[in-house]
C-alpha cells in the first residue's frame, strides 16, 4: 500500500503547514484474505495543534477501510508499524509588491508616470529566520523602445527569494499596466510685451531691444503638460 501522511489540528496563528514527507512511502501487509480485502489505505497522522516550527516524529501506521474506519490490525502482519514523518511549518508574512519601471520608450514617446496593478501585496511563507529578512517583492518592468502601453501578466513566484513560497499558489499572478503616450509638439510665441524686467537696481533704467520680430519656442512632451 502507498503510505499517506496527514495532519490534524491547527498550527499557531500566523503559520502554515508546508511539505509533509515520510521516511518510507510503502507498507507491505499480509494476513487472512477476508481482513486484507477490507484495507484500502495506510496512513499516519501528526497532530500540529499550536505548533510554530517543523515537526520530526515517528508516527504509528494505521490501516483504513473504504469508509475511513480503522481496521483491526491484530491479524495483520506489517513490514513496518511506524514511520518517520517530517512536517514543515512556515511563518506567514504579508509584504508589498514593488513594481519598478526601467528603460525608455521609443523616440517621440514618453511614460506618463501612471501605473495600474491588480494587487500590491502578497502573503508569503517560509522559515522564520528567512521570512524576517523579506521586506518586499521586487518586480522589474522594462519599457525600452515601446510605442504603446505595457500590459504584463506577472508570476510572482519568479521573484521570490530562495526558500520562500506563496502562502496561496492561487494568488501568484498580478497584472501591471504602464501607460505610454506619444509626445505632442506646440509652438509658443514670445512678443516684446511679454518680456518683463525685474530686480532693477535703484537708480538705473532699463530698455529692451532685439525683439522687433516675434520669437518662437517649440516645446514637446505629454499632452497634459504641453
Amino acid at each position: 500500500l502507498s503510505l499517506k501522511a496527514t495532519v490534524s489540528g491547527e498550527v499557531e496563528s500566523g503559520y502554515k503547514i508546508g511539505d509533509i514527507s515520510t521516511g518510507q512511502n510503502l507498507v507491505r501487509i499480509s494476513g487472512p484474505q477476508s481482513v486484507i480485502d477490507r484495507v484500502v489505505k495506510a496512513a499516519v497522522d501528526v497532530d500540529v495543534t499550536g505548533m510554530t516550527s517543523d515537526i520530526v516524529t515517528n508516527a504509528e501506521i494505521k490501516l483504513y477501510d473504504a469508509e475511513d474506519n480503522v481496521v483491526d490490525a491484530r491479524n495483520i502482519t506489517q513490514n513496518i508499524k511506524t514511520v518517520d514523518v517530517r512536517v514543515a511549518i512556515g511563518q506567514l508574512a504579508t509584504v508589498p509588491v514593488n513594481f519598478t519601471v526601467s528603460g525608455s520608450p521609443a523616440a517621440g514617446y514618453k511614460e506618463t508616470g501612471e501605473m495600474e496593478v491588480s494587487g500590491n501585496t502578497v502573503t508569503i511563507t517560509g522559515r522564520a529566520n528567512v521570512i524576517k529578512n523579506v521586506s518586499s517583492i521586487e518586480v522589474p518592468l522594462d519599457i525600452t523602445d515601446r510605442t504603446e502601453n505595457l500590459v504584463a501578466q506577472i508570476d510572482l513566484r519568479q521573484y521570490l527569494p530562495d526558500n520562500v513560497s506563496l502562502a496561496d499558489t492561487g494568488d501568484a499572478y498580478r497584472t501591471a499596466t504602464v501607460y505610454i503616450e506619444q509626445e505632442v509638439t506646440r509652438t509658443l510665441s514670445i512678443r516684446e510685451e511679454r518680456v518683463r524686467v525685474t530686480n532693477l537696481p535703484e537708480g538705473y533704467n532699463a530698455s529692451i531691444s532685439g525683439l522687433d520680430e516675434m520669437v518662437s519656442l517649440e516645446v514637446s512632451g505629454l499632452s497634459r503638460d504641453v
Side-chain angles (χ1 to χ4, degrees):
L1 295 170
S2 296
L3 187 56
K4 299 179 180 179
T6 60
V7 296
S8 57
E10 297 289 338
V11 293
E12 188 71 20
S13 176
Y15 292 82
K16 178 181 175 64
I17 298 294
D19 293 332
I20 305 172
S21 58
T22 56
Q24 297 187 51
N25 57 13
L26 293 173
V27 56
R28 186 182 304 111
I29 63 174
S30 61
Q33 184 173 358
S34 60
V35 178
I36 295 300
D37 285 348
R38 292 180 53 206
V39 179
V40 297
K41 70 176 182 180
V44 292
D45 186 79
V46 177
D47 184 4
V48 298
T49 302
M51 301 302 292
T52 60
S53 59
D54 293 356
I55 301 172
V56 178
T57 187
N58 188 265
E60 178 187 1
I61 299 171
K62 294 185 178 182
L63 307 176
Y64 295 86
D65 62 19
E67 297 178 353
D68 271 346
N69 297 314
V70 176
V71 175
D72 188 345
R74 285 177 294 180
N75 295 322
I76 296 176
T77 300
Q78 300 173 213
N79 67 323
I80 52 172
K81 293 201 172 188
T82 62
V83 67
D84 291 334
V85 184
R86 184 178 185 277
V87 181
I89 298 176
Q91 186 172 3
L92 296 173
T94 299
V95 296
V97 181
N98 296 330
F99 297 88
T100 304
V101 178
S102 63
S104 299
Y109 292 82
K110 278 186 174 294
E111 177 196 354
T112 68
E114 298 172 349
M115 184 192 307
E116 289 184 4
V117 295
S118 57
N120 54 15
T121 63
V122 68
T123 302
I124 56 176
T125 183
R127 292 181 180 275
N129 62 341
V130 175
I131 291 296
K132 71 178 182 180
N133 296 319
V134 182
S135 58
S136 65
I137 305 300
E138 303 296 325
V139 179
L141 300 170
D142 187 4
I143 59 172
T144 300
D145 294 333
R146 293 195 66 85
T147 59
E148 58 186 11
N149 297 338
L150 170 65
V151 181
Q153 187 176 45
I154 297 140
D155 186 346
L156 296 180
R157 290 172 292 190
Q158 300 179 57
Y159 304 100
L160 296 177
D162 292 339
N163 301 314
V164 173
S165 59
L166 297 180
D168 179 4
T169 55
D171 192 35
Y173 292 94
R174 296 289 185 277
T175 300
T177 303
V178 181
Y179 291 97
I180 296 170
E181 289 184 4
Q182 189 171 8
E183 292 182 318
V184 297
T185 301
R186 181 182 175 190
T187 300
L188 304 177
S189 301
I190 303 177
R191 297 183 176 85
E192 183 176 350
E193 65 268 20
R194 292 187 177 178
V195 179
R196 298 288 182 268
V197 176
T198 61
N199 298 320
L200 186 67
E202 186 177 355
Y204 285 81
N205 294 318
S207 62
I208 297 171
S209 62
L211 286 180
D212 296 335
E213 296 181 1
M214 182 176 64
V215 176
S216 296
L217 176 67
E218 189 175 87
V219 296
S220 62
L222 296 173
S223 61
R224 70 185 183 199
D225 300 322
V226 172

